Amino acid sequence: MPQIKRKNLVVGAGFSGAVIAERLANILKEDVLVIDKNPYTGGVCHDYKDKTGITIQEFGSHIFHTNFEYIWKYINKFTKFNTYMHKVSASIDGKETPIPVNFNTIYDIFSPSFAKKLEDKLIKKYGYNNKISILEFKTKPFLWDKDLDFLASYIYEKLFIHLEKKQWNMQPYDISPALAYKVFIKTNKDDRYFEDKYQGIPLNGYSKLIENLLHNENIKILTGVDFKSIDTNGFDRIFYTGPIDEFFEYKYGVLGYRSAHFEFLECDTEYYQKSAVANYPNDYDFIRIHEFKHYLNEKSCKTIIAKEYVSDFILGNNSVQNKRCYPVLNTKNKKMYKLYKDEAKKVKNIYFLGRLGDFKNYTIDESIKRALEVFNSIKYENAEPLVSALYEDPKEAVKD
Ligand SMILES: Cc1cc2nc3c(=O)[nH]c(=O)nc-3n(C[C@H](O)[C@H](O)[C@H](O)COP(=O)(O)OP(=O)(O)OC[C@H]3O[C@@H](n4cnc5c(N)ncnc54)[C@H](O)[C@@H]3O)c2cc1C
């Protein structure tokens, strides 16, 4: 008897779709059709080299970072990474200084004597190499100190409140002060934005990495094809990484996202700014500037920057500048998503995943993790898989 090869349809060729397709094809040896409505693969991580030789990340900066060793091992089967550690600066009163705030920031912003005073107080109270939320300075009366209270208010005003307003279109009175728990000070000189053990940029870019994941004789890829135009009869399973509300024809409403659009500029200078990303919390209408050549240390006498503007995603507006980027995780949307999630549980053999399918602000490693978990729930039919099984060797893995 010939072995039955199941047929799978994967909707979306971003990280989530590419990982699930790779597993089905490589491990289960099943047939997979991957479709994407974009004319390219890679989803929101799509990148390309432009005429200056600089790799442009079309939808803004993407830095791979994870603390999951098994995900690092898995993804390294498909690409080599450089040893890039992400640094972000913020423009405060015209000065470019590192964030998250650490002693380097404090010395950049304040006079040397006041900076030294703050450093001494922070070390005395919290020790060296700690991370303290600015709320700590505000809410713990027994630790209250007028200089640290000033520092907390300064950071809240200059680095947090106006950035939140630009990012989420919220008025200051709508922003709960409790959200400031996200803003912290590091009592060291560590300028890194992420502290994950594994960080880097794929040496040949994200699009090439996704191409490598999808490189398998059992996988067929169709770009420029919308799910709506596909006859789904004949597929044993569907993996849907598009927007879950669109799948259910918005029967419970439209899930809210913030959209980001990018104004690209070629500049006749070797470097535009010190780090790959510079935030502009208070000035201008854009929220940040990305400078791409930092990522792969690409050499050119020119540089390419992108100014990022964030606005509401509007359903039905087909402009390329209107995209679902950041899910707005407010109470209304969370309730609405729950209704869609319950609906999704009722449909058989359709699996929802990815940042749009799950309505989650996944990082790349979280998207991969989720796709591996969905794969394992199929392979082991809900039995608890061994962690090692999550990164079983794909025999035909391709590396650049
Ligand atoms: C602006 C921005 C910056 C980010 N920066 C980072 C970062 O620095 N580091 C990090 O770890 N993570 C970052 N992320 C998160 C990361 O991009 C995601 O976790 C990951 O790329 C999600 O992959 P995905 O496949 O789930 O979604 P996507 O990449 O969005 O892929 C979904 C695909 O489905 C396709 N699709 C949708 N509907 C249909 C349909 N009806 N028919 C056919 N195809 C369809 C889309 O065209 C798309 O290609 C960032 C996200 C954004 C938005």
Side-chain angles (χ1 to χ4, degrees):
M1 284 272 284
Q3 218 191 339
I4 296 167
K5 242 186 167 186
R6 284 205 178 81
K7 279 189 166 35
N8 301 281
L9 172 65
V10 172
V11 181
F15 262 102
S16 304
V19 168
I20 195 84
E22 181 280 318
R23 293 283 84 184
L24 292 164
N26 257 324
I27 303 298
L28 299 185
K29 310 287 174 215
E30 294 185 359
D31 282 340
V32 189
L33 172 64
V34 178
I35 60 161
D36 201 298
K37 65 180 182 183
N38 286 332
Y40 48 78
T41 57
V44 80
C45 290
H46 175 69
D47 58 12
Y48 63 93
K49 236 184 216 313
D50 97 329
K51 61 182 185 328
T52 58
I54 299 169
T55 305
I56 310 296
Q57 300 187 357
E58 199 173 348
F59 303 105
S61 292
H62 277 87
I63 298 90
F64 186 87
H65 58 102
T66 190
N67 275 321
F68 295 111
E69 189 187 353
Y70 73 90
I71 289 183
W72 181 245
K73 280 191 178 165
Y74 169 76
I75 206 66
N76 269 271
K77 292 179 194 304
F78 303 94
T79 185
K80 291 180 185 133
F81 283 89
N82 66 4
T83 49
Y84 176 83
M85 301 232 177
H86 194 42
K87 291 187 180 161
V88 176
S89 62
S91 171
I92 304 182
D93 298 337
K95 180 144 191 92
E96 202 183 323
T97 184
I99 52 163
V101 175
N102 61 64
F103 291 146
N104 290 328
T105 324
I106 289 175
Y107 275 91
D108 267 353
I109 303 172
F110 301 114
S111 71
S113 59
F114 187 51
K116 175 85 176 81
K117 195 172 172 191
L118 290 171
E119 180 183 26
D120 289 346
K121 284 192 172 179
L122 284 165
I123 290 179
K124 192 163 172 228
K125 270 190 195 294
Y126 301 101
Y128 189 75
N129 210 19
N130 271 317
K131 229 168 147 179
I132 309 117
S133 158
I134 59 168
L135 273 191
E136 176 99 13
F137 304 144
K138 291 273 178 202
T139 54
K140 299 240 168 95
F142 55 97
L143 288 172
W144 193 84
D145 175 281
K146 100 172 155 19
D147 293 323
L148 296 185
D149 183 72
F150 165 81
L151 179 64
S153 302
Y154 188 91
I155 290 171
Y156 184 81
E157 176 65 26
K158 298 282 183 181
L159 283 171
F160 174 69
I161 193 84
H162 302 289
L163 195 80
E164 284 293 290
K165 211 173 132 194
K166 278 187 186 177
Q167 183 78 42
W168 302 111
N169 191 24
M170 284 161 102
Q171 293 307 315
Y173 51 78
D174 284 331
I175 301 173
S176 156
L179 276 178
Y181 77 88
K182 294 193 292 191
V183 190
F184 52 86
I185 293 175
K186 299 204 266 188
T187 57
N188 56 27
K189 293 190 169 194
D190 181 357
D191 286 342
R192 288 172 309 159
Y193 194 71
F194 303 117
E195 291 170 16
D196 302 48
K197 179 168 178 186
Y198 305 104
Q199 305 189 27
I201 308 291
L203 277 180
N204 289 309
Y206 287 99
S207 286
K208 182 68 185 160
L209 163 52
I210 299 275
E211 222 179 86
N212 290 346
L213 278 160
L214 293 172
H215 181 90
N216 188 294
E217 61 181 10
N218 297 332
I219 299 178
K220 187 178 171 198
I221 307 161
L222 292 177
T223 52
V225 173
D226 198 304
F227 176 62
K228 290 183 202 102
S229 67
I230 290 278
D231 178 1
T232 54
N233 287 318
F235 290 102
D236 298 297
R237 306 184 196 100
I238 296 173
F239 299 88
Y240 189 85
T241 74
I244 191 167
D245 53 349
E246 184 177 297
F247 182 91
F248 291 109
E249 294 172 339
Y250 306 106
K251 63 192 281 190
Y252 298 118
V254 180
L255 289 168
Y257 287 84
R258 295 284 281 162
S259 163
H261 82 263
F262 298 90
E263 182 191 355
F264 289 89
L265 297 165
E266 184 180 306
C267 308
D268 277 323
T269 177
E270 202 184 349
Y271 282 98
Y272 185 85
Q273 58 197 26
K274 282 189 250 168
S275 47
V277 173
N279 283 357
Y280 284 77
N282 310 304
D283 311 307
Y284 304 106
D285 295 331
F286 51 83
I287 187 164
R288 51 186 75 90
I289 297 182
H290 307 253
E291 185 176 25
F292 300 103
K293 72 193 302 190
H294 290 278
Y295 289 122
L296 290 164
N297 198 17
E298 288 162 322
K299 301 296 172 204
S300 167
C301 55
K302 293 179 186 260
T303 191
I304 309 285
I305 61 162
K307 293 182 178 172
E308 178 181 349
Y309 297 82
V310 182
S311 55
D312 280 337
F313 166 77
I314 297 164
L315 186 70
N317 173 347
N318 294 325
S319 143
V320 286
Q321 305 201 331
N322 182 53
K323 292 180 294 293
R324 292 173 170 95
C325 281
Y326 310 106
V328 179
L329 298 171
N330 58 19
T331 312
K332 178 180 159 221
N333 286 330
K334 280 186 193 164
K335 274 190 189 155
M336 197 191 294
Y337 169 65
K338 165 99 179 34
L339 297 173
Y340 284 122
K341 196 177 168 190
D342 290 345
E343 200 75 11
K345 283 183 195 149
K346 293 182 205 154
V347 286
K348 272 199 86 179
N349 295 327
I350 304 184
Y351 301 83
F352 292 84
L353 65 156
R355 63 182 198 96
L356 302 168
D358 287 341
F359 192 60
K360 294 248 162 48
N361 225 336
Y362 287 141
T363 46
I364 298 172
D365 64 328
E366 289 168 341
S367 300
I368 295 172
K369 181 171 178 281
R370 167 81 172 125
L372 293 176
E373 282 164 0
V374 170
F375 173 74
N376 278 288
S377 73
I378 289 159
K379 187 176 175 200
Y380 297 94
E381 287 170 3
N382 296 324
E384 198 63 41
L386 296 169
V387 169
S388 60
L390 289 167
Y391 59 92
E392 249 172 302
D393 253 350
K395 292 207 172 43
E396 294 162 51
V398 179
K399 221 174 196 166
D400 312 317

